[in-house]
Amino acid sequence: MKRLQLPALIAAAGFCLAARAEATSCEDLTKLVLPATTITSAQMVAAGAFTPPPRPPGPVDDDVNAPTGGAGARGGAPGGRGRGGRVVSYRTLPEFCRVAAMLRPSSDSEIKVEVWMPATGWNGKFEGVGNGGWAGTIGYAAMAAAVAGGYATASTDTGHVGGSASFALGHPEKLADFGYRAVHEMTVQGKAIVDAFYGGAPKLAIWNACSTGGRQAITEAERYPADYDGIVAGASAIYSMAIHAARVAINVIAHRTDDSYIPPAKYAMVHAAVLEACDALDGVKDGVIDDPLRCRFDPKVLKCKDADAPTCLNNAQVETMRALYAPLKEIPGQPPLLQPGTELGWATLAGPSPLRLSVDAFKFVVFKDPSWDWHRFNATTDIARALKADTGAVSLTDPNLKPFFDRGGKLLMYHGWADPQVPAQNSVRYFNAVVKTAGQSVVGKSIELYMVPGMGHCRGGAGADTFDKMAAMEQWIAQGTAPAQIVASHSTAGAVDRTRPLCPFGQVAKWKGIGSTDEAANFACVAER
């Protein structure tokens, strides 16, 4: 009797293994049972047939979810950035399975998630994409770019709808969802959905996002080191509460007197003067400051000799300009918000009022008062209060990434030197802290930082701002060493007019002295200091 049972058991076991490896139809995914998860819909989307829903109201920053960057990207988007940074139209997307789910890891959680999976041509990999600002929407543009590249992908609204931080008022669990939990739960359940649909788990998982998505990237590496094999973190909005406080403080400084505000009409004049002083420090005059840390521009050279005029700055405006380039003494360790070269984007932080994203932080997280008015801001007391208000939900910045590195995880950071919204030195500060904690041996093996001269917030600007982050990460994972350089391009009216190598932090792209200065091949990455 026992001799008869063994083959039967083996056959049964083989049947179970075969069943586990069997793919599930898209529509049948609604029957999939996952922890704290309700799959609300699952349907095939025909090639070129996807139309994104309207973006919820509220402020956004121009990051990974904007298909082209700039204010024009805030409305109906045609698609997302492809592998090389080119715009991907929704109309060119292949057929894919679109799954929507609601995750409830806490009693106050309502986290919307979508998972998209190519019907054919899946590359066997999973790409998680992030959010901008206070999130509140699915990153359809970034998902489109991922699917176009052959990846299964997932995105989340982080547990609320709309770009305001009002969701956080009286809802600490929702703040936790926004801060870290939603992305992790999306990743875990998203991989399970991919596994069920294809009959096999992804062989590689990569996170790719910028701004808030860059903060989410660092948080994933810190809190959940097993979620991703590679993490691409752009313009990481880490040290979040310190940034919010600094943004409000710098705007208050810019408006401290009746004549201290620098009007946008003067930005081009100021920017031209800064370029005249610092553009050619790298040996090439190209409208880009390669390393703003070497720029020693003194605003006093713009001081009006007589009355205030469009071609100069009055005394108060000179002091405002100094303040924009300087760290705030009330925030220990916080680098300057702005670098030389950011002048054309000063309206973001030094415009008529503070960035709404940061005002929201004070209204709904710091003071818990929707009627709070930024005109009441007092740097002496309010900055300290802001730094204490967050208990780690959005500002966790532990530089110990040993668990992530020990698993073989790779962290590729990048940041535009001309970022007018998230301090460029934020990324430098965190990179240096990680290296100090883990040791110099992790550089190039487990972590690397690429600063992008002339690039604004995640993209845009006079610098070479378009490059294939996913290809760089895949190359790193395959070869074991971070790219010695990443070739980036700049386009005008859709046509590439310049390419440059992006170099690992500590190196800069130097012209070889021959050939066009608009071709990357004529530059080499060399040690800066």
Side-chain angles (χ1 to χ4, degrees):
M1 184 67 177
K2 290 182 180 179
R3 285 195 297 270
L4 292 174
Q5 287 179 334
L6 185 58
L9 288 171
I10 293 174
F15 174 80
C16 290
L17 289 173
R20 288 181 62 188
E22 188 174 325
T24 303
S25 71
C26 185
E27 291 73 13
D28 283 347
L29 289 173
T30 56
K31 304 173 186 176
L32 188 63
V33 178
L34 298 171
T37 299
T38 302
I39 296 181
T40 55
S41 68
Q43 58 184 359
M44 296 300 298
V45 178
F50 176 75
T51 300
R55 180 184 288 274
V60 295
D61 57 357
D62 300 323
D63 58 14
V64 69
N65 290 317
T68 57
R74 298 186 181 191
R81 291 282 174 170
R83 296 303 94 190
R86 302 288 176 256
V87 173
V88 173
S89 170
Y90 291 128
R91 292 185 294 274
T92 65
L93 290 183
E95 183 183 26
F96 64 93
C97 173
R98 180 188 181 190
V99 177
M102 179 71 76
L103 312 184
R104 292 185 171 89
S106 81
S107 60
D108 196 28
S109 296
E110 292 183 331
I111 303 167
K112 292 187 181 73
V113 166
E114 289 201 22
V115 182
W116 293 5
M117 298 163 287
T120 59
W122 179 46
N123 61 15
K125 303 165 188 176
F126 177 85
E127 180 178 347
V129 300
N131 305 91
W134 287 102
T137 184
I138 300 290
Y140 293 112
M143 296 183 79
V147 166
Y151 292 81
T153 184
S155 178
T156 174
D157 66 358
T158 72
H160 65 278
V161 176
S164 167
S166 58
F167 72 90
L169 190 63
H171 294 278
E173 293 294 342
K174 290 187 182 298
L175 186 61
D177 287 338
F178 166 78
Y180 57 90
R181 190 162 52 201
V183 166
H184 170 63
E185 292 293 332
M186 174 205 81
T187 301
V188 173
Q189 309 310 338
K191 287 181 182 178
I193 292 170
V194 171
D195 190 351
F197 180 64
Y198 292 115
K203 62 184 179 183
L204 193 68
I206 299 174
W207 176 268
N208 178 26
C210 191
S211 193
T212 290
R215 179 193 62 76
Q216 292 166 331
I218 301 300
T219 300
E220 274 291 294
E222 292 174 349
R223 287 183 178 268
Y224 307 107
D227 278 1
Y228 290 94
D229 304 289
I231 292 177
V232 179
S236 300
I238 49 179
Y239 311 105
S240 301
M241 201 54 73
I243 293 178
H244 288 312
R247 286 168 173 166
V248 177
I250 203 66
N251 194 275
V252 171
I253 290 172
H255 291 274
R256 67 192 182 279
T257 64
D258 291 339
D259 60 350
S260 61
Y261 173 62
I262 303 175
K266 291 190 177 186
Y267 292 171
M269 175 272 296
V270 174
H271 183 63
V274 175
L275 288 180
E276 182 64 28
C278 300
D279 180 2
L281 292 177
D282 60 345
V284 176
K285 196 166 186 177
D286 55 3
V288 174
I289 300 175
D290 269 33
D291 183 2
L293 300 182
R294 295 177 59 204
C295 182
R296 298 292 183 264
F297 180 79
D298 190 340
K300 73 179 182 181
V301 302
L302 296 176
K303 185 177 177 180
C304 298
K305 294 181 179 179
D306 297 306
D308 193 358
T311 57
C312 60
L313 299 178
N314 64 40
N315 290 340
Q317 290 170 343
V318 168
E319 293 310 310
T320 295
M321 187 172 176
R322 292 188 198 278
L324 294 179
Y325 291 152
L328 290 169
K329 65 180 184 299
E330 294 90 350
I331 308 179
Q334 174 69 27
L337 278 175
L338 299 165
Q339 301 293 326
T342 59
E343 297 78 28
L344 297 179
W346 278 357
T348 302
L349 300 185
S353 60
L355 191 67
R356 183 175 163 185
L357 298 171
S358 297
V359 173
D360 266 16
F362 278 87
K363 282 186 176 182
F364 302 112
V365 180
V366 179
F367 288 100
K368 298 179 173 58
D369 177 7
S371 67
W372 183 81
D373 186 338
W374 66 268
H375 293 92
R376 290 154 38 194
F377 180 82
N378 184 326
T380 304
T381 57
D382 294 351
I383 288 178
R385 182 166 180 167
L387 297 178
K388 292 179 181 178
D390 177 56
T391 58
V394 296
S395 292
L396 179 66
T397 47
D398 184 357
N400 180 17
L401 299 184
K402 187 175 186 300
F404 178 65
F405 293 161
D406 285 350
R407 292 187 63 259
K410 316 294 184 189
L411 176 59
L412 189 160
M413 302 178 67
Y414 68 92
H415 207 136
W417 271 124
D419 192 330
Q421 181 168 321
V422 175
Q425 287 195 59
N426 241 29
S427 291
V428 174
R429 175 187 179 186
Y430 186 74
F431 173 80
N432 286 336
V434 171
V435 174
K436 182 179 179 180
T437 301
Q440 190 66 32
S441 63
V442 300
V443 177
K445 176 185 177 183
S446 303
I447 186 172
E448 194 56 272
L449 168 63
Y450 300 84
M451 298 301 292
V452 187
M455 185 175 81
H457 186 53
C458 296
R459 61 173 62 93
D465 66 323
T466 302
F467 52 101
D468 196 332
K469 294 93 174 173
M470 291 294 285
M473 176 54 74
E474 294 235 30
Q475 175 188 329
W476 185 355
I477 292 173
Q479 299 180 1
T481 304
Q485 65 175 38
I486 301 173
V487 175
S489 65
H490 177 275
S491 297
T492 300
V496 174
D497 52 17
R498 176 180 295 165
T499 59
R500 284 285 174 85
L502 305 180
C503 304
F505 183 67
Q507 300 179 38
V508 292
K510 288 291 185 182
W511 183 47
K512 297 176 182 178
I514 57 173
S516 171
T517 57
D518 289 328
E519 295 181 14
N522 299 324
F523 288 77
C525 290
V526 299
E528 185 176 20
R529 299 176 179 87

